[in-house]
Amino acid sequence: MQWYEIVLIVAAALFVVGVIVWQIIRRKQGKGGCDCGCSNCSGSCSACQSKQKEEKK
C-alpha cells in the first residue's frame, strides 16, 4: 500500500466520522435530518412528523 492510499483512506474515514458527529449534534439541537424547515412540508420526513404531532397537542 502506497502512502497516498493510506492518506486517502484516512481522509475518507474522517469525512464519514465528521458527518456522523454533525448529525448527532443537529439531533441534540432539535433539528431534523432533512433540514426542510417544516413550514410548508407535507410531513413526509420523520423530523416534520414529530413536530406536527407536538403542534396538535
Side-chain angles (χ1 to χ4, degrees):
M1 212 181 230
Q2 298 292 327
W3 66 269
Y4 58 86
E5 292 173 329
I6 295 171
V7 170
L8 184 63
I9 291 169
V10 169
L14 287 175
F15 178 76
V16 171
V17 169
V19 169
I20 292 170
V21 169
W22 177 61
Q23 287 296 322
I24 290 170
I25 291 170
R26 286 180 51 85
R27 295 264 178 180
K28 287 187 177 186
Q29 291 176 346
K31 297 179 182 177
C34 67
D35 199 25
C36 64
C38 299
S39 59
N40 295 321
C41 187
S42 63
S44 58
C45 68
S46 63
C48 296
Q49 287 175 354
S50 64
K51 286 184 181 180
Q52 287 177 351
K53 287 179 185 177
E54 289 176 7
E55 289 175 0
K56 287 182 181 179
K57 291 181 180 181

